[in-house]
Amino acid sequence: MERGAISDWRSKRVAVVTGGNKGIGLEVCRQLAGNGVAVVLTARDEARGAAAVEKLRGDGLSSVIFHQLEVTDARSVARLADFLKAHVRKLDILVNNAAVGGAEYVPDLVYPSATNDDPFAGMDEGQMSEWMQQNTRETYNSAKETLETNYYGTKHVTEALLPLVHSSTDGRIINVSSVIGQLRYFVSEELKQELNDVGNLSDQRLDEMVAAFMEDFTAGAVEARGWPVGFSAYKVAKAALNAYTRVMARRHPELRVNCVHPGFVKTDMNRLAGLLTPEQGARNVVAVALLPTGGPTGKYFALGQEAPFV
Ligand SMILES: NC(=O)c1ccc[n+]([C@@H]2O[C@H](COP(=O)([O-])OP(=O)(O)OC[C@H]3O[C@@H](n4cnc5c(N)ncnc54)[C@H](OP(=O)(O)O)[C@@H]3O)[C@@H](O)[C@H]2O)c1
């Protein structure tokens, strides 16, 4: 089925989207396909991914296919790379979107309003964030999963697909980040400076820093060592992803490598406590994915505008 569906892809730009089965990722797939891009929608769960593709095809978007991808599983990543090498041969746009939320929701979750259709109606971003802080807890497992998925997983997918991105004449990598990955959330000036010193940073050093965070988390020393507090693993993973984006942009000037904050979006990640729809959030990601040829690289975009890493 997949080979037949991609027989007319030669003249199109090709994109891979990770975590494409729902939320912002699904809408990124929809909008890229709507802009004439052929899309490989990936998801870790075969049934959820296939259902998402069917949904998009049902909406008239025929140039979308499914491929399984669990970003933390090296064999799954290798299978996707092999499939693309054999059947597509190049990758114009890689959208690293898959991520987890960085904390566990408490079992006795209490919504601000049990009566309203939208339990967060009337709340601003600060109030919703406060609700999320109060209704979640960071555990060893959630921190570990967050670093493995949001940072290492993204990095491994990027490394595996990099030769294919290089086969494009206009290869782009878009890392979906977050406003809370900004370095202002770090208390330690030393950590902040090192993560911002992109001229001297390597991805090996980034790995060491992320591993050091996990050690400090395990030892209960997050605050004492000056790491961000509150969703600390999520913030560290996204800050490291931003730094990785800059390292990759410097190392591969022929590519466009950028990171994007989509906005505070109503998805499963935050139990629908957002301000934007997934469609609106995806627009901020797709705008960067489809920037004109020769555009910026090594940059961070928030809500459609270039913004500071700090
Ligand atoms: N929502 C917001 O307000 C917000 C704000 C800033 C940044 N972001 C970022 O936006 C991106 C999309 O998030 P979202 O809000 O759309 O969340 P979401 O609805 O929870 O979607 C997350 C997606 O990632 C997938 N995923 C998680 N772990 C994976 C893994 N190990 N391998 C492959 N896929 C995996 C999920 O698959 P399953 O369905 O199988 O779980 C799902 O498809 C993330 O990078 C997130 O950090 C979101």
Side-chain angles (χ1 to χ4, degrees):
M1 179 190 78
E2 283 167 349
R3 254 169 275 182
I6 62 177
S7 59
D8 65 337
W9 279 21
R10 213 156 296 159
S11 60
K12 287 179 181 272
R13 282 202 277 179
V14 177
V16 163
V17 180
T18 69
N21 57 290
K22 68 176 183 180
I24 297 166
L26 175 60
E27 292 307 312
V28 168
C29 292
R30 183 194 301 282
Q31 290 173 26
L32 286 174
N35 276 284
V37 178
V39 177
V40 183
L41 180 158
T42 70
R44 56 182 161 179
D45 182 273
E46 300 258 356
R48 289 198 288 270
V53 167
E54 281 318 303
K55 197 166 164 186
L56 296 182
R57 288 194 182 159
D59 292 340
L61 299 164
S62 54
S63 292
V64 183
I65 60 162
F66 169 67
H67 201 283
Q68 195 273 345
L69 177 66
E70 160 61 65
V71 302
T72 63
D73 177 357
R75 283 171 305 179
S76 171
V77 175
R79 276 196 301 272
L80 173 66
D82 288 347
F83 169 80
L84 293 168
K85 272 177 216 151
H87 302 298
V88 188
R89 300 194 184 93
K90 62 144 189 179
L91 181 55
D92 302 288
I93 302 169
L94 169 61
V95 181
N96 284 312
N97 164 80
V100 292
E104 291 172 9
Y105 282 88
V106 295
D108 48 352
L109 199 61
V110 180
Y111 282 97
S113 159
T115 51
N116 201 304
D117 277 352
D118 176 1
F120 302 100
M123 289 174 75
D124 63 21
E125 187 163 348
Q127 290 166 319
M128 288 187 211
S129 301
E130 183 62 30
W131 177 85
M132 284 171 65
Q133 293 272 2
Q134 284 168 358
N135 286 278
T136 52
R137 60 178 173 222
E138 286 194 87
T139 62
Y140 172 83
N141 285 340
S142 69
K144 192 162 172 285
E145 184 192 14
T146 301
L147 298 174
E148 280 172 1
T149 308
N150 301 8
Y151 173 65
Y152 292 112
T154 301
K155 196 177 153 190
H156 292 154
V157 170
T158 303
E159 281 165 5
L161 302 191
L162 199 57
L164 287 146
V165 183
H166 271 128
S167 298
S168 164
T169 54
D170 188 11
R172 290 134 189 253
I173 299 171
I174 299 90
N175 293 323
V176 181
S177 185
S178 170
V179 67
I180 60 173
Q182 279 182 308
L183 295 172
R184 68 182 63 176
Y185 293 97
F186 284 68
V187 179
S188 158
E189 278 305 320
E190 213 175 301
L191 288 171
K192 206 185 285 190
Q193 273 173 24
E194 188 167 6
L195 284 166
N196 201 28
D197 184 9
V198 68
N200 287 311
L201 209 52
S202 65
D203 50 344
Q204 290 86 340
R205 177 62 193 144
L206 274 173
D207 287 0
E208 285 168 16
M209 292 180 81
V210 170
F213 165 78
M214 199 57 218
E215 276 176 29
D216 290 341
F217 185 95
T218 309
V222 166
E223 203 168 349
R225 297 293 177 102
W227 298 103
V229 290
F231 293 101
S232 59
Y234 185 86
K235 286 172 178 163
V236 168
K238 293 294 191 185
L241 178 61
N242 287 354
Y244 178 63
T245 302
R246 298 168 89 182
V247 168
M248 290 298 280
R250 201 191 57 211
R251 191 181 300 155
H252 302 285
E254 65 288 1
L255 304 179
R256 309 288 98 188
V257 190
N258 293 298
C259 49
V260 183
H261 168 55
F264 190 28
V265 183
K266 290 174 195 285
T267 65
D268 289 346
M269 187 172 280
N270 50 31
R271 304 283 166 118
L272 307 180
L275 297 172
L276 305 181
T277 63
E279 188 269 335
Q280 290 169 322
R283 239 186 269 156
N284 292 323
V285 177
V286 171
V288 177
L290 299 182
L291 277 169
T293 302
T297 188
K299 304 293 182 195
Y300 164 66
F301 293 84
L303 297 165
Q305 303 288 325
E306 204 181 309
F309 282 96
V310 185

